[in-house]
Amino acid sequence: MRERFRVVGGTPLQGRVPVAGAKNSALKLMAGALLAVGRTRLTNVPAIVDVTIMAELLRRLGVVVDHDPGRGVVELDVPEKIGHRADYELVRALRASISVLGPLVARCGEADVAIPGGDAIGSRGLDLHAAGLEGLGAKVHVAHGYLIASAPGGLRGADIRLDFPSVGATENILMAAVLAPGATRIDNAAREPEIVDIADFLVSMGAHVSGAGTSVIEIAGVEALHPTVHAVVADRIAAGSWAFAAATTRGDVEVVGGVADHLEITLDLLSSVGCTVSTTADGFRVLAPPGRPRSIDVATLPYPGFPTDLQPFALTYNAVADGSAMVTENLFEARFRTVQELARLGADTRIDGHHVMVHGVAQLSGAPVEASDIRAGAALVVAGLVADGVTTVSGAHHIDRGYASFETLVSGLGGDVTREADDDPFV
Ligand code: UD1
């Protein structure tokens, strides 16, 4: 059944909201569990659909997965012999499935992983993943929609330089290299907290990894890893979205479990326009100043720069801010799908290449809009909270991929958001 969120605008968000473990770490840690035979236990796993999809993918490889969403626990019992093929059916539903590539080549000496839609080797997409594995000694080619990697004689450590600090490529190379004999050095590695989380996880399994969180990661290959117990790092993107929601609705929100250090630039920007940002015993708090918020220029960059995943929230914020701002997207092409929906709510925006000029208006006006992905959808709900009247955000399933029961979280902060059947007969 299709569902949508019904939002009634007008209430500032106030109170405490919890953040769970990071989706973008939990999925990779589940893939990383393939590296050790035996039972690995992950805690602080978010209760979202993507975890269920990754669990299914791993089951098809032979892993016994026990998933207890209520307790945020996933246990993965990995057998000695595992399959090495990730089917299109699951990969198309979960792009992050590509993160089984590195662990599978390391464990099996081969991997056939379906190529997620929209990607092509040789252009943007997976070229850095492929080049990294080739650097470690694998042969990689594409056939029948699958990326096929093989290293019959095993991988070996190598110096690898990434042309761009890709998160996914860094993770795949790191997870492949931990079992490759010899020394590996990844130059221009991604520095995201999720990379640090994966490195910590691998070290707790007996891997030798140093430098995660900097641009140079060094790995000394070991013969085998052992299972471990690991708590997933807090979701900085979910945390950042609540920070923006507080600022946009002129509210006061404590993000319980949020790590302010992982959002330094975002929180500095909000402070610079008058928000009071403080760390608390349980996380951090964002208190908006009275009156209309001031606009903020934002340009997305790899970590520690402003996260691309928070860009839709910056658009919503600026849509109602006092002044004009430029929002620049440097990571993904054409990732401005929030803009046309915000325009339906009366936002004054103009797209020019990878920039959006936003002229803040005093008041948005409620209307039906459509979520195109997790963060764009959540940002539209926030827009609905500062719009006059009722906004419906269809495509609730997109938002469910990043937030467990989003409507409960927003309601807990006083926002008027309910989930309802989407009975639009023409969709
Ligand atoms: C991850 C996150 C995503 C976030 C992104 C950037 C997950 C599941 N997703 O995605 O939410 O928006 O980091 O912070 O963790 N690129 C190439 N060749 C490659 C790989 C990437 O050209 O081989 C390009 C991509 O097309 C994109 C840019 O590099 O333009 C960033 O991609 P990457 O850092 O790899 O992001 P993901 O790991 O896909």
Side-chain angles (χ1 to χ4, degrees):
M1 186 183 60
R2 282 198 316 271
E3 291 178 322
R4 67 185 174 207
F5 290 114
R6 181 177 191 276
V7 189
V8 183
T11 320
L13 295 188
Q14 262 160 354
R16 286 158 58 89
V17 66
V19 288
K23 169 180 87 73
N24 288 351
S25 191
L27 299 170
K28 324 300 174 66
L29 296 170
M30 290 173 73
L34 289 168
L35 289 163
V37 175
R39 198 169 179 85
T40 281
R41 179 182 163 90
L42 298 173
T43 61
N44 202 29
V45 177
I48 53 173
V49 176
D50 285 10
V51 168
T52 316
I53 301 173
M54 181 58 95
E56 181 55 29
L57 191 150
L58 295 174
R59 282 190 189 106
R60 292 195 193 179
L61 296 172
V63 180
V64 177
V65 185
D66 289 329
H67 181 196
D68 183 344
R71 286 170 52 233
V73 174
V74 173
E75 289 191 343
L76 307 113
D77 203 342
V78 179
E80 180 76 43
K81 191 158 169 41
I82 52 175
H84 64 270
R85 184 180 166 92
D87 291 328
Y88 181 53
E89 189 198 341
L90 289 165
V91 175
R92 73 192 293 205
L94 180 65
R95 198 183 178 285
S97 312
I98 196 69
S99 57
V100 297
L101 181 64
L104 287 180
V105 184
R107 270 293 308 285
C108 310
E110 56 185 333
D112 300 3
V113 180
I115 296 172
D119 284 325
I121 296 278
S123 63
R124 297 167 69 80
L126 297 176
D127 53 336
L128 302 172
H129 299 244
L133 292 180
E134 281 172 340
L136 294 174
K139 296 229 178 323
V140 180
H141 71 284
V142 173
H144 307 296
Y146 280 72
L147 189 149
I148 298 174
S150 65
L155 299 171
R156 52 178 156 63
D159 282 356
I160 290 162
R161 193 186 154 76
L162 294 175
D163 291 341
F164 177 85
S166 152
V167 173
T170 301
E171 291 165 347
N172 259 326
I173 297 164
L174 169 62
M175 292 197 284
V178 285
L179 290 179
T184 293
R185 179 185 158 102
I186 310 175
D187 261 299
N188 201 22
R191 299 161 59 187
E192 272 70 0
E194 295 77 32
I195 304 274
V196 177
D197 198 34
I198 294 165
D200 288 347
F201 168 76
L202 295 169
V203 167
S204 76
M205 296 167 101
H208 295 170
V209 179
S210 60
T214 76
S215 297
V216 180
I217 301 180
E218 292 186 293
I219 303 136
V222 295
E223 221 165 86
L225 298 178
H226 54 76
T228 189
V229 177
H230 181 87
V232 181
V233 70
D235 194 326
R236 71 193 158 93
I237 302 300
S241 55
W242 295 118
F244 265 106
T248 307
T249 64
R250 303 166 208 181
D252 178 3
V253 173
E254 182 178 1
V255 183
V256 176
V259 181
D261 283 353
H262 294 169
L263 284 164
E264 212 178 324
I265 289 196
T266 303
L267 297 179
D268 281 354
L269 279 173
L270 293 176
S271 297
S272 75
V273 289
C275 290
T276 307
V277 178
S278 48
T279 49
T280 62
D282 298 329
F284 65 84
R285 176 179 167 203
V286 176
L287 166 65
R292 206 166 147 201
R294 289 206 318 270
S295 58
I296 321 177
D297 288 325
V298 160
T300 67
L301 281 173
Y303 189 85
F306 187 87
T308 176
D309 293 358
L310 290 181
Q311 176 248 91
F313 297 93
L315 287 170
T316 295
Y317 172 89
N318 281 312
V320 292
D322 188 11
S324 298
M326 181 83 91
V327 175
T328 302
E329 175 55 58
N330 291 313
L331 264 73
F332 289 97
E333 286 166 47
R335 209 193 217 196
F336 280 135
R337 283 173 294 188
T338 329
V339 172
Q340 65 194 35
E341 301 304 302
L342 282 174
R344 303 206 73 252
L345 300 174
D348 180 357
T349 56
R350 193 162 48 86
I351 300 182
D352 182 7
H354 65 125
H355 305 289
V356 184
M357 193 63 175
V358 189
H359 303 290
V361 296
Q363 175 76 62
L364 295 176
S365 154
V369 290
E370 170 102 39
S372 55
D373 63 51
I374 304 169
R375 309 300 168 188
L380 287 169
V381 171
V382 175
L385 289 170
V386 287
D388 189 20
V390 176
T391 296
T392 53
V393 182
S394 53
H397 63 281
H398 287 295
I399 300 174
D400 293 340
R401 297 187 70 161
Y403 304 82
S405 194
F406 193 56
E407 70 280 22
T408 309
L409 297 171
V410 180
S411 307
L413 294 170
D416 188 343
V417 178
T418 43
R419 184 186 290 264
E420 62 182 24
D422 189 351
D423 45 18
D424 184 343
F426 300 111
V427 181

